[in-house]
Amino acid sequence: NRGKYLLVKGLAIAVLSIGLVYGLFFVMDDVAQHVGTIAYVLFTVVALFFVLANRTLINEGRMVFDQLEHNGLEAGREQLSRIVGRDTSQLSPQQIRTAVLETMAENLSDGVVAPLFWFAVGGIPAAMAYKMVNTLDSMVGYKNDRYLLFGRASARIDDVANYIPARITALLMAIVALSWRAIAFTFKYGRCHSSPNSGFPEAALAGILNVRFGGPNVYHGKTVNKPYIGHHNREIVYADFHKAAYVNHAVCVAMLLLVWGVSLMMSIRCN
């Protein structure tokens, strides 16, 4: 990330990284299939275990709420800094809780639904390639002076890879929560976000909880004015975290069942 041709260099890094990961796991997947059914099943289960990232973030979110409640504001800010990219040093308790719930909603798409979606499309190689896409975006996909050009390709690839999964996530969230308001919020606020995708699961969770997300935040020293998602600016409490955690777990199960059902139907059709 130095000198000239930063766009080209960033594109090259993205394509090479994603291609190498896909190629590596394509070979591993092929070898596992040739070894036998048990080896292939074990390889798939272990790979999916590392692809999915739901429980860890829920635990981290719980720790933020616990630190804030038991050890005060500074402890909550410090704990939150482990899971978000924004500057946490000046956040209020309400902003800290909001950040946790926003991150849980976004990660439900990035860490669960999208990997399983790409697994359904192209197996473990596609799921792992997606994880590389998501990792690149989290490393260099920022709209700041340092990464604006170098990370642009990674950010755009991530936008494309998450376009369908983000919308599936919002739909599944509304279904598992039995929330018509989540559907209404998704249509009304889903596009009120700088990201073309993150707003959809965030809007669904805001609808489920009937809270307001968004607003200005500081990322890497730069203030980003995000539009508000929702209109009910009530205080977020621990019970909201528990409900968000339930939604995340339920969507994870629902997506696994959906992928299994689609795979089963395709297998029956092929036979």
Side-chain angles (χ1 to χ4, degrees), residues 195-236:
S195 163
N197 301 314
S198 298
F200 287 87
E202 287 187 19
L205 186 59
I208 291 167
L209 301 176
N210 195 22
V211 297
R212 189 179 76 174
F213 291 159
N217 274 289
V218 178
Y219 292 84
H220 304 284
K222 183 179 180 181
T223 300
V224 177
N225 291 304
K226 294 183 178 181
Y228 286 107
I229 296 176
H231 53 269
H232 191 193
N233 189 26
R234 67 168 179 84
E235 182 181 1
I236 293 173

Side-chain angles (χ1 to χ4, degrees), residues 10 34 49 57 64 78 91 97-98 100 120 122 130 137 144 165 173-174 182 206 210 259 269:
H34 280 86
F49 174 80
L57 189 75
V64 175
E78 183 178 352
L91 296 185
R97 297 186 186 102
T98 299
V100 171
Y130 167 77
D137 181 63
N144 57 24
M173 291 171 76
N210 195 22
V259 170
R269 181 175 296 179

Side-chain angles (χ1 to χ4, degrees), residues 29-268:
D29 189 82
D30 187 60
V31 169
Q33 289 188 57
H34 280 86
V35 170
T37 302
I38 295 177
Y40 181 64
V41 170
L42 284 173
F43 168 76
T44 301
V45 170
V46 170
L48 281 177
F49 174 80
F50 284 105
V51 162
L52 301 180
N54 192 46
R55 189 175 65 177
T56 300
L57 189 75
I58 290 174
N59 290 338
E60 290 286 345
R62 182 180 292 109
M63 289 171 66
V64 175
F65 270 73
D66 287 342
Q67 289 287 342
L68 184 62
E69 183 171 334
H70 300 301
N71 297 316
L73 184 57
E74 288 302 321
R77 288 170 173 169
E78 183 178 352
Q79 191 68 35
L80 177 64
S81 68
R82 296 175 56 180
I83 60 173
V84 300
R86 70 191 73 178
D87 180 7
T88 65
S89 62
Q90 302 299 318
L91 296 185
S92 68
Q94 175 74 355
Q95 289 174 314
I96 291 172
R97 297 186 186 102
T98 299
V100 171
L101 297 181
E102 289 176 346
T103 303
M104 288 175 66
E106 184 177 352
N107 187 77
L108 181 57
S109 177
D110 294 351
V112 176
V113 175
L116 287 174
F117 171 82
W118 287 106
F119 171 72
V121 171
I124 290 300
M128 287 294 184
Y130 167 77
K131 293 300 291 186
M132 186 71 253
V133 169
N134 194 237
T135 300
L136 283 166
D137 181 63
S138 67
M139 291 176 67
V140 301
Y142 297 105
K143 295 179 180 178
N144 57 24
D145 293 339
R146 182 177 182 184
Y147 292 120
L148 182 62
L149 296 178
F150 186 75
R152 183 174 296 175
S154 295
R156 293 294 179 267
I157 294 170
D158 184 78
D159 289 342
V160 172
N162 282 296
Y163 187 86
I164 296 175
R167 287 147 181 83
I168 293 175
T169 304
L171 176 61
L172 290 178
M173 291 171 76
I175 291 173
V176 300
L178 301 176
S179 174
W180 285 107
R181 187 169 54 228
I183 295 175
F185 271 43
T186 299
F187 279 101
K188 184 175 182 179
Y189 298 109
R191 290 180 173 82
C192 293
H193 200 286
S194 58
S195 163
N197 301 314
S198 298
F200 287 87
E202 287 187 19
L205 186 59
I208 291 167
L209 301 176
N210 195 22
V211 297
R212 189 179 76 174
F213 291 159
N217 274 289
V218 178
Y219 292 84
H220 304 284
K222 183 179 180 181
T223 300
V224 177
N225 291 304
K226 294 183 178 181
Y228 286 107
I229 296 176
H231 53 269
H232 191 193
N233 189 26
R234 67 168 179 84
E235 182 181 1
I236 293 173
V237 296
Y238 212 133
D240 295 314
F241 169 79
H242 286 304
K243 190 163 188 177
Y246 158 75
V247 169
N248 277 40
H249 284 308
V251 168
C252 186
V253 172
M255 189 63 186
L256 282 167
L257 292 173
L258 181 61
V259 170
W260 176 78
V262 170
S263 299
L264 183 62
M265 286 191 296
M266 292 179 64
S267 178
I268 293 173

